[in-house]
């Protein structure tokens, strides 16, 4: 097909879109990456002060893409996960030694992940960076997706591509312009994030603590810091953000308890509204949808970014396989392989995080008692813990080549659970 400007256009240069460009490096494809913001860590809204829990599968994908060596120096391993509910004796824990792993996951700062990706993008031989540039319109023709792009100098250019990939976030202009419906559910909550220094060493333990006010997560970081994700209601968010350091430490101590001793220092706080979003379609003729454009999750259990990176690995593998077979990468029959592959993982992860948030938000005494018994039972059932650990590590079900350490050019050897 010669009447196109690109074989593949990625709309969105955040961590998911940039990762897809890196994943397709070396394929015989002309790729364009469109991003509205300048591609610099200081300017891009996706590369902020948040910390991300990277699943073991995500670490393997980054390692296969030669990105992990840069991140490893600052990423902190999660060797245990401790799950509890305030006011209840029940708890559960996961340990990497039970899974024969060096870590269950890793904690990394979003801006450092962004810096590693942005350093790699200019080295990709088959990727053209089109930024800052803003998508204006999209239309789909039988043999191409046609988009109008406005550059910073106000030039508007029409581009044609065999495959358009929407990696443009929860408010995806691509998804909205194409009329692809998305279910959106507002949780009425906000996540207040910060870094905190406790008195006691965190010992590489991640904590998920459920309270009647919302869940609180503490993730281990360097220098004995912890990344905090404290869920508050929309109604109290402003008041919580207005607290001084001592006031916020007191609130955090009251919700989390004293398992790490008194908190000594707290960093700058930011808040993000929490909602669930699910696109009704993840593939159309000439279009694939990945990352937050396809699904946005509650941060409980830290699964959102990892789900998006698994989208990247699966789509890259489908595209690479189609290229080897000399198939049209934008044909719906090809893209349905991606959608079918990802459907179960996406549905299961979305259902799990949503149900967990709703279950622990229920204040009824019978439900609270059942939760407490459930945590105790979970901790006493190794097969269930093993399944749960494999799922949260991104190593359950059909695992993409990149998550198994295999290059996309490697000969197929089955994509099953390791």
């Amino acid at each position: 097909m010669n009447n196109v400007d690109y074989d593949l256009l990625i709309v969105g240069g955040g961590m998911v879109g940039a990762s897809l460009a890196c994943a397709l490096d070396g394929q015989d494809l002309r790729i364009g990456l469109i991003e509205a913001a300048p591609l610099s860590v200081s300017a891009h809204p996706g590369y902020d002060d948040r910390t991300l829990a990277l699943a073991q599968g995500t670490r393997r994908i980054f390692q296969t893409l030669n990105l992990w060596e840069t991140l490893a120096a600052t990423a902190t391993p999660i060797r245990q996960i401790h799950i509890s509910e305030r006011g209840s004796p029940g708890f559960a824990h996961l340990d990497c030694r039970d899974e024969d792993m060096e870590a269950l996951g890793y904690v990394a700062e979003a801006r450092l992940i962004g810096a590693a990706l942005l350093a790699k993008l200019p080295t990709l031989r088959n990727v053209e960076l089109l930024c800052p540039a803003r998508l204006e319109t999209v239309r789909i023709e039988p043999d191409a997706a046609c988009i109008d792009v406005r550059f910073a100098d106000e030039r508007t250019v029409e581009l044609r591509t065999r495959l358009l990939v929407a990696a443009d976030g929860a408010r995806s202009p691509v998804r909205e312009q194409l009329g692809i419906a998305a279910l959106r559910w507002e949780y009425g909550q906000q996540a207040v994030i910060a870094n905190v220094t406790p008195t006691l060493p965190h010992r590489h333990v991640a904590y998920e603590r459920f309270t009647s006010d919302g869940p609180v997560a503490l993730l281990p970081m360097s220098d004995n810091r912890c990344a905090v994700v404290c869920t508050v209601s929309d109604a109290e968010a402003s008041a919580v953000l207005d607290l001084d350091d001592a006031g916020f430490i007191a609130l955090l101590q009251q919700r989390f308890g004293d398992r790490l001793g008194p908190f000594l220092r707290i960093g700058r706080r930011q808040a993000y509204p929490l909602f669930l979003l699910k696109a009704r379609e993840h593939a159309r003729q000439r279009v694939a949808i990945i990352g937050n454009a396809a699904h946005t999750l509650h941060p409980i259990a830290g699964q959102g970014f990892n789900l998006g990176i698994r989208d990247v690995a699966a789509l890259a593998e489908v595209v690479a396989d189609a290229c080897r077979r000399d198939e049209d990468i934008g044909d719906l029959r090809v893209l349905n392989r991606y959608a079918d592959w990802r459907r179960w993982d996406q549905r299961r992860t979305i259902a799990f995080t949503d149900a967990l948030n709703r279950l622990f938000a229920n204040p009824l005494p019978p439900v609270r008692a059942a939760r407490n018994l459930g945590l105790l039972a979970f901790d006493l059932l190794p097969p269930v813990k093993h399944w749960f650990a494999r799922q949260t590590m991104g190593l359950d079900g059909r695992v993409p080549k990149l998550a198994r350490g295999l290059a996309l050019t490697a000969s197929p050897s089955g994509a099953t659970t390791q």
Side-chain angles (χ1 to χ4, degrees), residues 253-269:
Q253 201 85 60
Q254 185 264 334
R255 294 194 181 184
F256 180 76
D258 59 1
R259 189 172 294 273
L260 287 173
F263 295 123
L264 302 176
R265 295 178 57 193
I266 192 77
R268 184 168 63 98
R269 274 84 74 193

Side-chain angles (χ1 to χ4, degrees), residues 182-206:
L183 168 69
R184 183 178 172 120
W185 175 266
E186 303 290 342
Y187 283 114
Q189 298 173 326
Q190 296 190 33
V192 178
I193 65 167
N195 295 336
V196 66
T197 302
T199 304
L200 301 178
H202 57 57
R203 301 185 188 279
H204 299 280
V205 179

Side-chain angles (χ1 to χ4, degrees), residues 215-229:
V216 178
L218 265 70
L219 306 175
M221 294 180 67
S222 60
D223 302 319
N224 200 48
R225 295 173 300 153
C226 292
V228 175
V229 183

Side-chain angles (χ1 to χ4, degrees), residues 94 98-99 104 303 344-345 348-349 351-353 378 381-397 417:
L94 302 172
D98 296 334
E99 305 303 322
L104 296 169
Q303 291 297 300
W344 173 241
D345 184 22
R348 179 178 57 184
T349 305
F352 163 69
T353 55
F378 174 83
L381 293 171
V384 177
K385 289 172 67 173
H386 175 69
W387 169 83
F388 179 81
R390 298 291 291 185
Q391 180 176 338
T392 56
M393 288 191 292
L395 300 176
D396 187 48
T417 305

Side-chain angles (χ1 to χ4, degrees), residues 240-278:
V240 170
L241 286 175
D242 287 340
L243 292 172
D244 61 14
D245 288 0
F248 187 79
I249 285 177
L251 179 144
L252 185 62
Q253 201 85 60
Q254 185 264 334
R255 294 194 181 184
F256 180 76
D258 59 1
R259 189 172 294 273
L260 287 173
F263 295 123
L264 302 176
R265 295 178 57 193
I266 192 77
R268 184 168 63 98
R269 274 84 74 193
Q270 292 178 276
Y272 297 89
L274 301 182
F275 57 91
L276 170 68
L277 182 141
K278 297 190 291 184

